[in-house]
Amino acid sequence: MPTDFTLPELGENVTAGDVVRVLVAPGDTVAKDQAILELETDKATIEVPASTGGTVKEVRVKPGDRIKVGQVVLTFDDSAAAPADGKAPKAAAGAKGQQPAERPQPQVAGGPDDGGTSQAAPGAEGGQKGAAERGRGTTAAPADERFADHSQRGAPAANDAPAKPRGEVVSIDRGARNPPAAPAPPTGGAPAGDGPAPPAAPSVRRLVRELGVEIRQVSGTGPEGRVSVEDVQAFVRAALSNPGGTASPAAALPDFTKWGDVERKPMSNIRRKTAEHLSHAWNAIPHVTQHDKADITALEVLRKQYSPRAEQAGGKLTMTVVALKIVAAALRKFPQFNASVDMARQEIVYKKSIHIGVAVDTPRGLLVPVLRDVDQKGIIELAADLGKASEKARAGKLSLDDMQGAGFTITNLGGIGGTSFTPIVNWPEVAILGLSRGIYEPVYDGHAFQPRQLLPLSLSYDHRVIDGADGARFLRWVADAFEQAFVTLL
């Protein structure tokens, strides 16, 4: 009897993906652990290996298909029914209710960068374009049960695998970090959800419109589920008490076709996850952004002088690379910037390792590879590491592990321009540093105005952990380090 190979677990809360390439065809002989297809998930393109070997009888998917964990990918003939090592295939084990190995989701940043190729000043060599910054952050953050999307309940589609006994599958279409509607007040009445709108007075309907609340999500406590002003107020209070929640589902858009032709395009995996993560980060973190400028006139001379050495090592000596080295030292001096907030346990988690994410603009969207142990590496080594990470990001070869575990993020818009911006903190981090284009300005030296090259710096941080005075001290320390060029390179 033919043996079906189903899509195995891909990682924690990764339950689906888009088929990029099918690497085998009917009649091919497949070895155990051989890659059989390329799959694009929220943040990475990964190769799916076969959990057993044999001859392919039928391929059930094609490029462009969206497939879920547990869905049949291909069928082996009878000789391939048993794996080479005699163990049960991973996918089959998952279908029997075994829990997948935990694997954190990749992270995406609070603003785009050119991956370290942009320079601080116009005309500096090696500069490439960055990404348009819209104050975005993107991390596909690790999810927890509070944000699991259970809206996809019901009978599976014809081509889907049967429901697993271990529990519901979290739909990746809306994202594991998509905050659900706030819980309704536990006072009884009609259940919230879809269907006809519950009865309510005109004044109540006007209130929900003003607040942007979907009335179907409010549980009415009156006769026959009638919604009162108090019910709406209780719903909003519950939403505001949810750290990652929003007051209501997304409001319906008007019909734009009334005023002209429109075109609708589905969000890509990365764009969808970016939108979900940023919504959570913006709602969960009380943001503060401070700005400063660093005099990099002397540093720019040294950067150009040492650039050939970095190129020999396979990288480019950019202001992003210098910022990596400076921020790593700053995080040692200001450990509260290398932390995360655990509101559930009322604790602050201080991280001992210095791992820094760098926002990289790619054709597929904004990605944030993480550089490890930045404080233990020299500038030339960091230049090479960032160059490799940026190339992997643009080639779509970053793994989930390449994009998780950062304690701080840097984003550089120097290749585009601008004087400052307000990057969004990349949750669960508590701070992000943005660099803009270096500009020449007249600076008074006590005797006369002199042309100096200044680098605009923008620091956003979580005000629950970092006070304004600490933010100013951190940013000024970073600016002073940029200005002490010789000490910086040492």
Side-chain angles (χ1 to χ4, degrees):
M1 188 175 191
T3 301
D4 290 336
F5 173 79
T6 58
L7 185 66
E9 298 286 352
L10 305 173
E12 185 180 5
N13 294 306
V14 180
T15 60
D18 298 328
V19 178
V20 178
R21 286 197 305 160
V22 179
L23 305 178
V24 296
D28 288 352
T29 299
V30 175
K32 185 176 182 293
D33 295 328
Q34 176 181 336
I36 58 175
L37 61 85
E38 287 185 2
L39 194 71
E40 182 187 64
T41 62
D42 290 328
K43 284 294 179 292
T45 299
I46 60 177
E47 291 184 344
V48 178
S51 58
T52 185
T55 302
V56 178
K57 179 178 180 180
E58 181 184 3
V59 177
R60 304 280 193 91
V61 298
K62 62 182 182 301
D65 286 352
R66 184 167 186 81
I67 59 177
K68 299 179 180 180
V69 170
Q71 182 174 334
V72 177
V73 174
L74 53 83
T75 301
F76 290 112
D77 64 15
D78 290 336
S79 62
D85 58 1
K87 296 180 181 179
K90 295 179 181 178
K96 293 180 181 179
Q98 294 182 2
Q99 294 297 332
E102 294 186 0
R103 193 174 187 183
Q105 289 282 359
Q107 298 186 356
V108 310
D113 184 78
D114 56 3
T117 56
S118 63
Q119 303 300 329
E125 73 275 17
Q128 297 182 9
K129 77 175 186 69
E133 167 64 33
R134 291 192 288 273
R136 304 185 308 199
T138 144
T139 333
D144 54 39
E145 287 298 323
R146 293 174 299 164
F147 304 110
D149 181 2
H150 301 291
S151 64
Q152 306 298 324
R153 299 175 182 174
N159 61 341
D160 289 346
K164 299 184 180 182
R166 63 183 175 87
E168 297 172 356
V169 174
V170 180
S171 171
I172 203 171
D173 291 341
R174 290 179 56 187
R177 288 235 61 91
N178 187 21
T187 52
D194 297 329
S203 59
V204 175
R205 297 186 184 278
R206 182 172 61 252
L207 176 63
V208 297
R209 287 196 300 269
E210 292 172 352
L211 294 177
V213 172
E214 170 54 58
I215 195 170
R216 291 177 180 82
Q217 298 294 322
V218 182
S219 290
T221 58
E224 298 182 356
R226 189 176 185 84
V227 176
S228 66
V229 171
E230 290 75 16
D231 294 332
V232 176
Q233 292 172 341
F235 175 85
V236 173
R237 283 195 298 269
L240 294 177
S241 66
N242 179 3
T246 53
S248 68
L253 292 174
D255 182 6
F256 295 111
T257 59
K258 295 178 180 179
W259 304 286
D261 295 337
V262 300
E263 180 183 6
R264 285 180 173 267
K265 294 182 178 180
M267 285 186 175
S268 65
N269 286 336
I270 290 178
R271 182 60 54 211
R272 181 170 57 249
K273 184 58 67 174
T274 297
E276 292 165 0
H277 179 67
L278 284 178
S279 296
H280 169 69
W282 185 252
N283 285 309
I285 299 174
H287 280 68
V288 175
T289 303
Q290 294 179 193
H291 307 279
D292 206 335
K293 294 179 181 178
D295 188 336
I296 58 169
T297 308
L299 177 60
E300 185 64 11
V301 174
L302 286 175
R303 188 191 65 79
K304 294 179 179 179
Q305 178 181 344
Y306 285 89
S307 286
R309 183 180 299 182
E311 291 175 359
Q312 291 176 0
K316 292 184 178 180
L317 185 55
T318 66
M319 281 297 161
T320 303
V321 176
V322 177
L324 279 166
K325 190 63 179 175
I326 290 174
V327 167
L331 294 179
R332 287 295 185 199
K333 185 173 181 62
F334 301 91
Q336 66 269 42
F337 286 80
N338 189 28
S340 290
V341 182
D342 188 346
M343 293 302 296
R345 300 177 61 177
Q346 299 292 296
E347 295 176 346
I348 299 176
V349 181
Y350 294 94
K351 303 160 190 174
K352 302 299 184 180
S353 300
I354 306 294
H355 306 319
I356 300 177
V358 178
V360 178
D361 178 40
T362 77
R364 299 168 57 241
L366 185 65
L367 299 175
V368 188
V370 178
L371 276 68
R372 310 287 178 190
D373 302 314
V374 177
D375 58 323
Q376 301 176 25
K377 299 176 181 178
I379 285 185
I380 302 301
E381 185 178 1
L382 287 174
D385 287 352
L386 182 57
K388 295 175 183 176
S390 300
E391 287 303 315
K392 287 181 67 176
R394 296 190 182 98
K397 298 299 184 182
L398 287 175
S399 68
L400 299 178
D401 292 337
D402 291 331
M403 296 181 285
Q404 56 94 22
F408 191 96
T409 297
I410 296 175
T411 173
N412 187 350
L413 297 181
I416 299 176
T419 57
S420 63
F421 60 105
T422 56
I424 295 179
V425 175
N426 186 19
W427 186 93
E429 300 163 24
V430 296
I432 180 173
L433 178 67
L435 280 62
S436 296
R437 180 184 288 267
I439 55 176
Y440 282 95
E441 292 183 2
V443 177
Y444 189 69
D445 64 1
H447 303 283
F449 283 96
Q450 301 291 339
R452 306 293 293 180
Q453 189 173 352
L454 304 181
L455 177 66
L457 304 172
S458 301
L459 175 71
S460 294
Y461 53 84
D462 188 333
H463 211 352
R464 296 174 299 177
V465 180
I466 300 166
D467 296 330
D470 288 338
R473 294 187 188 99
F474 180 93
L475 193 56
R476 191 61 250 168
W477 193 96
V478 170
D480 288 341
F482 273 107
E483 293 170 359
Q484 298 170 9
F486 184 74
V487 175
T488 298
L489 289 182
L490 285 179

